[in-house]
Amino acid sequence: MRILFATSEATPFAKTGGLADVSASLPRVLGEQGHDICVFMPLYKSVFNSGLPLRNMGFDLSIPIRNKTVFGTVWEGRIPGSPNVPFYFVQQDDYFDRDGIYSQHGTDYEDNCERFVFFCRSVMESIERLWLDIDILHSNDWQTGLLPAYLRLMYGSRPRFQRVASVHTIHNLAYQGVFWHWDMKLTGIGWEHFRYDELEFYGKLNFLKAGLTFCDAITTVSPRYAVEIQTEGFGCGMNDVLAYRCDRLFGILNGISKEWNPSTDNNLAVTYSSEDVFEKKPVCKQALQAEMNLPQRRDLPLIGIVGRLAFQKGIDLVCDVIPTWVENHNVQFVILGTGDTALETRLSELAAKYPKNVAVRSEFCDPIAHRIEAGADLFLMPSRYEPCGLNQMYSQIYGTLPIVHDTGGLADTVTDEETGFSFNNDNIDELNKTIWRALDKFWHQPARFQEMIQQAMKLDWSWQRSAEQYASVYDKVKRK
Ligand code: ADP
């Protein structure tokens, strides 16, 4: 199969969430499984700064945007660990040579619509300019949602595109790329497609909807989320579109990348496997407590949290319950995350009030994330919704039992009282009860707690399995 994978972020260059991890891992594994795959992403400042050797592909792009022409070029590079997958970077410095990816200082760039119109048109033009023969055009999230629409409405009749099918993946339905209707003019797509069953959404232009209505198959990142997003509660206004296309909607769980392995992880004080986890994990716990200036006590339960500080992630619930567990049970919390400033402030206040129990790091730091996964006894993810979630899987592999809300990918990966703990309703009572169940095991049933750790560490969250499922979706839609 020949696949073009278009994305707005990929580790290690640009990352705001799970999409970046998927964009680095899935193409690599599909390549290893014998597929011919290339990746397109914007040439952000961070790509330049990474020092990655790049080769200019030797042609200029001239993209019509409203009544002007915007020029760009394409560079090729190979990312570390994926030597067989060409990464094509679209360069347009006015749009992409910036400090942020989509926003700066918490404010979205005003020209995000124009930036990603340009990127999508550049991908389509580059297919011709690079003579790429592809079977599948795989787009992701709103930023590349216009690709299936361009394929069907503007490029489909050209020889190079006639046999191309498209797959669109939803990594998070809450972000849809909604712009005012006059931005239709930027897309180059005619007003006749500004209709409720194509690009229009409550009077506005919606990039994600374009992807969902024009692609040949939709995937999302867990089977449970695929069902949930067809309902009003989780559908973010797109539930009817998704229910209408349910015969073409597939849930495929993300895998986790090779860097997340406690036996080879050089971010840790000591590495360990399921064989020596009970001797070595306490060393990681002590090192984490030291790093976070918390009392180095093995007997105190330590709960870790890593992630975006957002309402989605239930961080407000975490803030609500911390005082109870600190004041009554001397539990320690280590929290790493950035995001909502109100939540950051609440967390810093808790850290200031309970310096011996609560440590907060408001930064994006991958090595610390690894050390929390290894050093904590339990990992908390009370997300209100969670398309897939990666941290609960990292936790399991690191022998750190996750406490999760039973939703989306969390429901698909955590079996209550077997490989973690889960609760049904996202409210404080349920959360407290579940933390209590977990701590009860930690304090009073250590043998069972250890058995659960062993079970969690044996789970297989490799990308191989997920990549095979993507390949079978490609096969379903491929033009025969
Ligand atoms: P989402 O995509 O909704 O943000 P995921 O769990 O799918 O959530 O992916 C988040 C990824 O980002 C994980 O790899 C997680 O470890 C990482 N991450 C989030 N916040 C931070 C942070 N502050 N420092 C380091 N890694 C982080």
Side-chain angles (χ1 to χ4, degrees):
M1 202 92 61
R2 296 161 302 182
I3 308 137
L4 186 155
F5 189 93
T7 181
S8 55
E9 46 185 278
T11 312
F13 307 116
K15 172 167 171 169
T16 64
L19 169 60
D21 297 311
V22 175
S23 304
S25 301
L26 176 61
R28 174 175 54 75
V29 177
L30 283 166
E32 285 163 7
Q33 291 179 353
H35 300 285
D36 189 351
I37 181 159
C38 66
V39 178
F40 271 78
M41 70 177 278
L43 186 64
Y44 299 113
K45 182 182 269 184
S46 52
V47 180
F48 262 132
N49 292 347
S50 71
L52 183 83
L54 293 172
R55 182 167 69 99
N56 191 299
M57 298 312 290
F59 63 89
D60 288 327
L61 294 162
S62 328
I63 306 293
I65 303 252
R66 208 191 305 257
N67 41 19
K68 63 183 178 189
T69 301
V70 182
F71 297 98
T73 48
V74 176
W75 298 75
E76 191 225 45
R78 306 282 163 139
I79 71 165
S82 292
N84 301 322
V85 180
F87 265 65
Y88 294 109
F89 297 96
V90 174
Q91 181 182 23
Q92 210 306 321
D93 288 348
D94 292 337
Y95 292 144
F96 303 124
D97 187 22
R98 302 184 185 179
D99 290 333
I101 305 176
Y102 315 124
S103 61
Q104 215 160 311
H105 310 305
T107 310
D108 282 351
Y109 290 127
E110 272 183 9
D111 57 351
N112 270 346
C113 178
E114 188 171 327
R115 295 169 80 219
F116 288 100
V117 163
F118 176 84
F119 177 63
C120 290
R121 288 291 298 266
S122 299
V123 172
M124 298 308 280
E125 292 293 322
S126 301
I127 292 172
E128 285 188 326
R129 304 297 295 273
L130 291 165
W131 302 78
L132 295 178
D133 265 325
I134 58 169
D135 302 306
I136 303 292
L137 178 59
H138 187 160
S139 46
N140 294 277
D141 275 352
W142 72 262
Q143 294 86 348
T144 49
L146 287 180
L147 284 171
Y150 282 139
L151 180 63
R152 284 273 297 280
L153 302 176
M154 284 170 77
Y155 289 79
S157 57
R158 301 193 196 174
R160 196 154 287 279
F161 296 91
Q162 277 167 5
R163 299 183 54 76
V164 178
S166 61
V167 173
H168 189 81
T169 298
I170 304 167
H171 299 262
N172 190 336
L173 189 60
Y175 301 91
Q176 300 185 359
V178 178
F179 304 100
W180 76 324
H181 61 287
W182 288 116
D183 282 344
M184 269 300 283
K185 290 193 162 208
L186 299 175
T187 66
I189 296 172
W191 281 108
E192 67 276 20
H193 298 289
F194 191 69
R195 26 183 291 172
Y196 80 96
D197 54 353
E198 296 190 3
L199 277 73
E200 187 267 351
F201 181 72
Y202 295 102
K204 297 198 164 155
L205 164 65
N206 185 314
F207 275 31
L208 181 69
K209 191 170 180 182
L212 300 182
T213 47
F214 286 107
C215 69
D216 296 294
I218 303 167
T219 72
T220 189
V221 289
S222 69
R224 173 73 82 92
Y225 194 59
V227 175
E228 287 174 346
I229 55 180
Q230 296 176 53
T231 65
E232 215 180 317
F234 290 90
C236 304
M238 214 53 82
N239 37 305
D240 288 340
V241 177
L242 291 161
Y244 179 71
R245 301 216 62 196
C246 64
D247 60 327
R248 291 293 178 124
L249 171 59
F250 306 92
I252 303 175
L253 206 58
N254 286 338
I256 64 175
S257 65
K258 289 188 292 196
E259 293 77 50
W260 290 93
N261 179 347
S263 60
T264 52
D265 190 337
N266 53 24
N267 298 295
L268 309 186
V270 285
T271 55
Y272 60 92
S273 69
S274 59
E275 319 244 291
D276 55 4
V277 54
F278 303 119
E279 293 121 68
K280 303 277 183 60
K281 203 169 179 331
V283 179
C284 294
K285 176 172 175 178
Q286 193 179 15
L288 180 65
Q289 288 168 323
E291 182 176 356
M292 297 290 157
N293 295 320
L294 294 174
Q296 294 169 42
R297 290 204 21 207
R298 193 172 166 168
D299 58 317
L300 299 185
L302 196 165
I303 300 182
I305 295 168
V306 178
R308 279 186 294 120
L309 303 182
F311 182 74
Q312 176 204 336
K313 301 286 178 184
I315 301 297
D316 52 316
L317 299 177
V318 173
C319 295
D320 289 341
V321 302
I322 281 178
T324 310
W325 295 102
V326 169
E327 288 173 16
N328 303 328
H329 303 283
N330 209 4
V331 175
Q332 294 182 335
F333 289 86
V334 173
I335 300 149
L336 171 68
T338 54
D340 189 296
T341 34
L343 291 171
E344 269 186 37
T345 310
R346 272 189 85 185
L347 287 169
S348 319
E349 284 166 5
L350 287 164
K353 185 167 178 197
Y354 305 114
K356 291 190 175 156
N357 293 81
V358 181
V360 176
R361 290 283 181 279
S362 305
E363 58 183 304
F364 196 99
C365 180
D366 193 51
I368 299 182
H370 283 249
R371 291 196 283 275
I372 294 176
E373 291 293 2
D377 298 301
L378 292 157
F379 193 91
L380 189 51
M381 272 181 97
S383 309
R384 292 197 161 80
Y385 69 93
E386 192 58 80
C388 176
L390 295 169
N391 282 296
Q392 81 281 11
M393 295 192 263
Y394 302 153
S395 302
Q396 289 169 323
I397 299 307
Y398 279 64
T400 304
L401 294 174
I403 301 172
V404 303
H405 179 210
D406 190 31
T407 183
L410 300 174
D412 287 325
T413 49
V414 176
T415 310
D416 190 33
E417 297 278 338
E418 297 292 333
T419 57
F421 302 89
S422 64
F423 58 98
N424 278 323
N425 298 312
D426 54 346
N427 62 48
I428 295 172
D429 279 353
E430 293 287 322
L431 174 57
N432 274 333
K433 273 187 213 152
T434 313
I435 295 177
W436 181 255
R437 277 199 287 127
L439 291 179
D440 185 52
K441 290 255 164 7
F442 176 85
W443 283 314
H444 305 122
Q445 302 176 53
R448 178 62 193 145
F449 195 77
Q450 292 195 342
E451 215 171 77
M452 286 176 67
I453 289 176
Q454 289 288 354
Q455 277 168 217
M457 290 184 83
K458 287 200 184 79
L459 292 167
D460 170 17
W461 300 133
S462 70
W463 265 106
Q464 326 303 327
R465 185 183 36 93
S466 313
E468 281 162 19
Q469 292 174 7
Y470 275 100
S472 85
V473 172
Y474 297 154
D475 204 45
K476 275 196 186 78
V477 297
K478 185 179 171 212
R479 309 267 185 263
K480 304 288 187 249

